[in-house]
Amino acid sequence: MVQNKTLFGLLLVLLLNALGILCILRYIRSDVSPRSRVLVPPVSHAFDITHPSHVLVFLHIQKTGGSFLEGYLVNNIVNYTCPGEKVFLKSQSKFVSRHHKCFKPDSEQNWIFTRRTVGGPCGVHVDYSTLGPCARSYLGLGDWNIFFITLLRNPVDRFLSEFLHVKRGANWPVYEIGCSGGTNFPRKRIPPKCGFFGKNNSRLTLEEFMSCDDNPAINRMTHMLAGYGTIQCKYNTLMNQMGKDTVILLTAKRHLKEFEFFGIMELLVESAKLFENTFSVKFEEYPVSRQTKREKVELTPKQLTRIESVNHLDVKLYNW
């Protein structure tokens, strides 16, 4: 009897591993060659800023310069600057620009779906698998053509920037995964698992921040692009961590390849020129390099290696 149970357990493990390998092979076949770091424009320029059913949807990944990009896009495109109004945010104790009217010609439909134009109907910093359905739900009935854009950043700098953000006492909510679909947005918030969230973190160390495996800052760019629901809902129980990491990375690459545009924070001017070429628009002025708080942080070689190790998916995605 014991031998039969042992044999059954072994066969079950082999079966699950085989299913995991099949899932990985499925995504490997969809992988593509790395894009050049000089930001080669996509072959197809399908988005038309004047088309009534075309909408840019901005996937805002934390600490990648997304807030800057939002403001830059609504204020600097020739003939398409978007008037807005100042709103006081208690959480930041300052006035910010909101409710921009980025309307198409002869229409009251925004050509871009972002926090600056529509507020936060989907929640704060939602992932790819949630943002698409939420944007369509918000836009309502109609044959909408949604085109995703985003901004990426050096993974080490992005991770350190988020560490400093949390250390100042700020953080972002985590939302439940909508595996069953639905149109209720934003989704229910989930309490973060790492003990340092929601507390006075002035004494939080970088080592503590890196050591929590459930820290959503780890590999955040890859997870946001892959969509948290992709793995949690479909493949979470079918493979080991290495298998899940492989699928997550390949899914993020596949989704990013489908984006109409993505820029890189370290290459703001080049990214702006790519945006112009992709969408046949002109900016009134090009962005300038921005100094961040991360630049004031000095790392030991051991700390740098550790950050790159825990964020290995983001490092591979960024170098892709």
Side-chain angles (χ1 to χ4, degrees):
M1 180 65 71
V2 175
Q3 290 181 340
N4 289 339
K5 289 184 177 180
T6 302
L7 179 60
F8 176 77
L10 178 61
L11 290 174
L12 181 60
V13 170
L14 291 174
L15 176 61
L16 291 177
N17 284 336
L19 289 173
I21 292 173
L22 288 174
C23 294
I24 294 173
L25 290 175
R26 172 191 170 191
Y27 280 86
I28 288 177
R29 286 198 299 269
S30 67
D31 196 17
V32 294
S33 300
R35 284 194 181 185
S36 170
R37 284 296 303 278
V38 297
L39 301 176
V40 177
V43 175
S44 173
H45 310 317
F47 176 79
D48 180 355
I49 198 171
T50 65
H51 196 288
S53 68
H54 288 192
V55 181
L56 289 182
V57 175
F58 178 51
L59 177 65
H60 187 173
I61 302 172
Q62 290 95 315
K63 313 311 292 183
T64 58
S67 295
F68 165 79
L69 179 63
E70 285 180 324
Y72 181 72
L73 291 180
V74 301
N75 290 313
N76 282 282
I77 298 181
V78 175
N79 297 327
Y80 291 99
T81 55
C82 312
E85 60 184 71
K86 294 293 184 179
V87 176
F88 184 77
L89 287 187
K90 292 183 179 180
S91 60
Q92 300 181 23
S93 299
K94 66 179 182 180
F95 284 93
V96 297
S97 184
R98 288 288 188 272
H99 308 306
H100 287 264
K101 297 178 175 60
C102 296
F103 293 159
K104 299 172 181 289
D106 302 320
S107 170
E108 292 190 358
Q109 170 61 50
N110 285 303
W111 54 263
I112 184 169
F113 184 98
T114 178
R115 184 174 50 179
R116 294 284 185 122
T117 57
V118 300
C122 303
V124 182
H125 298 293
V126 292
D127 66 290
Y128 177 84
S129 60
T130 299
L131 184 57
C134 176
R136 293 187 183 279
S137 175
Y138 179 86
L139 292 169
L141 298 177
D143 186 21
W144 298 106
N145 289 317
I146 288 178
F147 302 88
F148 284 97
I149 62 173
T150 195
L151 193 65
L152 304 180
R153 185 182 182 184
N154 177 285
V156 173
D157 292 345
R158 198 217 66 79
F159 186 77
L160 280 174
S161 184
E162 185 160 348
F163 161 66
L164 295 174
H165 183 82
V166 173
K167 188 177 176 69
R168 293 192 297 269
N171 57 77
W172 297 279
V174 177
Y175 298 96
E176 68 178 357
I177 304 301
C179 296
S180 59
T183 57
N184 294 322
F185 303 102
R187 301 198 188 279
K188 180 181 178 181
R189 295 188 179 193
I190 300 176
K193 296 181 180 180
C194 297
F196 47 76
F197 283 108
K199 297 182 178 180
N200 182 347
N201 294 318
S202 59
R203 297 184 179 181
L204 178 67
T205 66
L206 181 58
E207 285 67 28
E208 290 173 328
F209 192 69
M210 289 187 289
S211 298
C212 179
D213 293 336
D214 292 313
N215 185 351
I218 296 175
N219 293 309
R220 189 183 285 279
M221 291 193 298
T222 306
H223 289 152
M224 290 279 284
L225 286 166
Y228 291 113
T230 300
I231 301 303
Q232 294 293 330
C233 302
K234 295 181 179 180
Y235 306 112
N236 194 41
T237 60
L238 295 181
M239 59 187 76
N240 56 24
Q241 189 60 50
M242 182 179 295
K244 286 189 288 187
D245 285 348
T246 300
V247 174
I248 291 171
L249 180 59
L250 291 173
T251 304
K253 289 180 179 180
R254 180 164 58 86
H255 288 166
L256 187 60
K257 182 175 179 285
E258 296 170 355
F259 273 48
E260 192 74 0
F261 163 86
F262 71 89
I264 294 178
M265 183 177 173
E266 290 76 23
L267 300 171
L268 285 178
V269 173
E270 294 86 345
S271 298
K273 292 180 178 179
L274 173 61
F275 192 96
E276 289 180 323
N277 293 334
T278 302
F279 302 122
S280 300
V281 297
K282 294 295 294 183
F283 288 116
E284 295 180 353
E285 58 183 8
Y286 287 128
V288 296
S289 299
R290 304 169 63 242
Q291 185 177 20
T292 64
K293 294 181 177 64
R294 177 273 172 265
E295 295 171 353
K296 301 178 182 179
V297 178
E298 294 185 4
L299 296 174
T300 66
K302 183 178 180 180
Q303 287 175 321
L304 176 60
T305 300
R306 173 67 172 155
I307 292 175
E308 292 176 334
S309 176
V310 298
N311 291 280
H312 63 285
L313 297 181
D314 275 5
V315 171
K316 291 176 182 177
L317 178 71
Y318 186 78
N319 292 330
W320 175 52

